[in-house]
Amino acid sequence: MQQSPTIILGIESSCDDTAAAVICDGKILANVVANQDVHKAYGGVVPELASRAHQQNIVPVVDAALKKAGISKKEVRAVAFTNGPGLLGSLLVGSSFAKAFSLALNIPLIEVNHMQGHILVHFITEQDGISHKPTFPFLCLTVSGGHTQLVKISDYFKMEVIGETIDDAAGEAFDKVAKMLKLPYPGGPLVDKYAKLGNPNRFSFTHPKVDGLNFSFSGLKTSVLYFLQKEQKTNPNFIEENLNDICASVQKTIVDILLINVRKALKNENLNQIAIAGGVSANSELRNRLLALQEENYEVFIPKFEYCTDNAAMIAITGYYKYLKGEFSSQEVTPNARMKI
Ligand code: KG4
Ligand code: ZN
């Protein structure tokens, strides 16, 4: 008798995106994300507004994902959800929904670490069967609004952080500089957009002095602030007149800082495969500079744009591998806002 397929429903609600995805035997069937525009006016995510928007979005988003996948609730084998790290109120919405779904359908509940999820997108098989997956061990640079880590991955769930930021995350650096440039939140994609039109060598900013494979971005933020204040004293329109060059120069500095440690880590750990994950992996300069490493015989893995920023496909694929291991959670599980890899 043929075994029925392993269909996993994934739920993501750790920050300001409400997302649901369906994965069948590792293959993506649906990946639906509802963004929350409500935060734009505040220059950052407002936790209370985020949880309320999740409450409004969660049912329609799950419904849309099941419809798009062409399956009924009864065909779902297990429900996976983000249990941390993230905003507690936001996490509670996704975890409560997943618990109720698991209870109502009497199917296993699987908790997922959001950061592991970002990394495991590299193991999603596309609908046409195409997949380009790394082999173990490999290095992953996870760069998002809350994290900047170099992770050595020896197995799906054997992940070792070998370097990380000691202050701001790379995404935070993009967003904070964008705010200084009067760009709306989240500013990362806009800095990327304007940088494409600018000269990355016009302005230079100093690199941080940090030990080993760690990163630091708070000094860059301060030096951009002082630089802008100084220039605006003589030209109040300095930002408007030089926006493209400022964006290109700041972006180049952030990517330079990331790449120095990526190279160091690949050499130290004797690895020849590098993957990126997390929201900042959508950055065009970072993608291009990583791809250039192929000329030095490194194998480079870059996720599709829809898997870079927060999504539920990453939660569903991680849930799938946990399902295969039989790693399930109880109804008593509670979100952990500061969960580590
Ligand atoms: O992974 P993610 O969606 O959420 C977190 O878990 O933090 O990452 C969001 C971050 C934001 O800081 C956003 O500005 C940044 O990713 N980001 C980018 C780009 N697209 C998203 N940063 C630079 N260039 C981009 N194209
Ligand atoms: Zn994320």
Side-chain angles (χ1 to χ4, degrees), residues 130-189:
I130 291 180
S131 66
H132 172 53
K133 298 171 184 168
T135 49
F136 301 117
F138 65 95
L139 182 72
C140 188
L141 172 69
T142 55
V143 268
S144 69
H147 289 81
T148 299
Q149 297 182 321
L150 277 166
V151 190
K152 183 180 174 182
I153 292 106
S154 311
D155 192 20
Y156 297 109
F157 299 103
K158 198 163 169 232
M159 301 184 177
E160 185 193 355
V161 177
I162 57 174
E164 63 189 327
T165 183
I166 56 166
D167 41 56
D168 293 351
E172 217 175 334
F174 271 107
D175 295 339
K176 285 181 176 167
V177 168
K179 200 170 178 182
M180 293 174 208
L181 300 174
K182 304 175 194 135
L183 299 173
Y185 177 86

Side-chain angles (χ1 to χ4, degrees), residues 114 118 144-146 171-172 174-175 186-189 192 278-280 282-283 308-310:
H114 180 88
H118 268 305
S144 69
E172 217 175 334
F174 271 107
D175 295 339
D192 190 357
V280 182
N283 183 264
C308 290
T309 40
D310 289 348

Side-chain angles (χ1 to χ4, degrees), residues 4-165:
S4 63
T6 303
I7 297 181
I8 308 288
L9 170 67
I11 309 281
E12 154 64 30
S13 71
S14 65
C15 190
D16 60 340
D17 295 307
T18 320
V22 179
I23 279 201
C24 175
D25 289 332
K27 196 188 268 191
I28 189 82
L29 296 186
N31 187 26
V32 176
V33 184
N35 306 116
Q36 303 179 355
D37 282 342
V38 61
H39 309 287
K40 279 212 167 91
Y42 301 91
V45 177
V46 184
E48 182 52 35
L49 294 180
S51 0
R52 277 191 225 168
H54 283 307
Q55 280 175 350
Q56 281 174 351
N57 293 344
I58 189 95
V59 172
V61 163
V62 170
D63 196 43
L66 293 174
K67 281 212 176 85
K68 192 155 181 247
I71 59 149
S72 77
K73 290 196 285 294
K74 297 219 164 65
E75 289 173 272
V76 175
R77 193 78 85 75
V79 54
F81 69 99
T82 305
N83 204 30
L87 302 169
L88 196 58
S90 291
L91 291 165
L92 272 166
V93 178
S95 67
S96 309
F97 180 90
K99 283 181 189 180
F101 196 90
S102 130
L103 208 58
L105 291 165
N106 195 24
I107 54 172
L109 177 69
I110 301 174
E111 66 188 275
V112 169
N113 177 317
H114 180 88
M115 296 313 292
Q116 282 188 345
H118 268 305
I119 295 171
L120 293 182
V121 292
H122 291 284
F123 295 92
I124 294 173
T125 303
E126 286 308 311
Q127 262 182 35
D128 52 13
I130 291 180
S131 66
H132 172 53
K133 298 171 184 168
T135 49
F136 301 117
F138 65 95
L139 182 72
C140 188
L141 172 69
T142 55
V143 268
S144 69
H147 289 81
T148 299
Q149 297 182 321
L150 277 166
V151 190
K152 183 180 174 182
I153 292 106
S154 311
D155 192 20
Y156 297 109
F157 299 103
K158 198 163 169 232
M159 301 184 177
E160 185 193 355
V161 177
I162 57 174
E164 63 189 327
T165 183

Side-chain angles (χ1 to χ4, degrees), residues 300-317:
V300 180
F301 298 85
I302 296 183
K304 279 172 66 177
F305 282 110
E306 65 178 300
Y307 301 143
C308 290
T309 40
D310 289 348
N311 65 87
M314 65 191 227
I315 306 306
I317 191 71

